[in-house]
Amino acid sequence: EVNDKNVSKSLPFLLDEWREQGKQLVADKNSRVVASFHQEEMFDPQEVAGLFKGLGVNTDDPLTFISYKAVLDPNNQAKVKDGLRSTIRDPNFNLFYFDHHGGTRHIWFTSGQLGEQESDDLNRPDALSYKEFAEDLLIRAKNNQGKLSDLIIIISACYSADFAVNTLNELMPA
């Protein structure tokens, strides 16, 4: 388990991993991308689609590029969240890009601005919690012969490192 007391011991490992991962191609024509965005206007799906298109991803094909833009309407929030969670579980997609506000326990769909980024509720309709993300990754691994090594996850959000560590700690016992 990574925590405040032992995080410095993991730094050499993380630096080695970052160096190694930095040599890796993030996306190309064979990538199957899921991009997810906060509902605010500043989170622009078209801009990100252009970035992936420039890397060779066919962003016009729903089999190779799916984009989820969060909505304020509570009746539709569950649909968006369920759709996102089902693609996380699907081993056919190999790259996930999250562009959201973040907290240590959540990737926020419709809130989470600074000062509102923390919640103890890990089953909110307006956020993906680290517990839900870990659960989806475990299901994905079961659907993929136990593997997660073919997956790239990019989180562009405040507190993304905390969210990642919480997810990792949740996955450790599995």
Side-chain angles (χ1 to χ4, degrees), residues 3 6 16 33-34 37 40 42 48 53 55 57-58 60 64 75 81 92 115 121 135 141 151 157 174:
N3 57 44
N6 68 12
D16 287 344
V33 178
V34 175
F37 303 90
E40 290 178 355
M42 68 184 215
V48 172
K53 190 173 200 155
L55 294 171
V57 176
N58 183 355
D60 298 320
T64 59
N75 296 323
K81 183 175 180 177
N92 291 309
D121 182 353
E135 176 184 303
L151 179 62

Side-chain angles (χ1 to χ4, degrees), residues 20-130:
E20 193 59 35
Q21 296 302 319
K23 299 174 190 172
Q24 194 176 36
L25 181 66
V26 172
D28 63 16
K29 65 180 178 150
N30 298 314
S31 297
R32 298 195 58 186
V33 178
V34 175
S36 174
F37 303 90
H38 192 275
Q39 60 84 24
E40 290 178 355
E41 269 187 46
M42 68 184 215
F43 297 93
D44 186 3
Q46 296 304 322
E47 186 177 317
V48 172
L51 172 106
F52 283 112
K53 190 173 200 155
L55 294 171
V57 176
N58 183 355
T59 57
D60 298 320
D61 183 351
L63 295 177
T64 59
F65 187 82
I66 296 177
S67 178
Y68 291 99
K69 178 77 170 171
V71 294
L72 284 174
D73 177 8
N75 296 323
N76 287 322
Q77 283 178 358
K79 288 180 190 173
V80 172
K81 183 175 180 177
D82 290 347
L84 175 62
R85 291 190 71 191
S86 71
T87 57
I88 293 169
R89 296 171 182 192
D90 183 347
N92 291 309
F93 291 96
N94 63 346
L95 194 151
F96 287 87
Y97 178 84
F98 295 96
D99 194 10
H100 292 267
H101 288 301
T104 59
R105 296 182 203 98
H106 297 87
I107 292 173
W108 292 96
F109 301 143
T110 60
S111 55
Q113 291 83 352
L114 196 58
E116 301 173 2
Q117 74 273 10
E118 295 303 328
S119 172
D120 292 329
D121 182 353
L122 299 179
N123 292 300
R124 296 177 60 114
D126 59 345
L128 178 68
S129 73
Y130 72 90

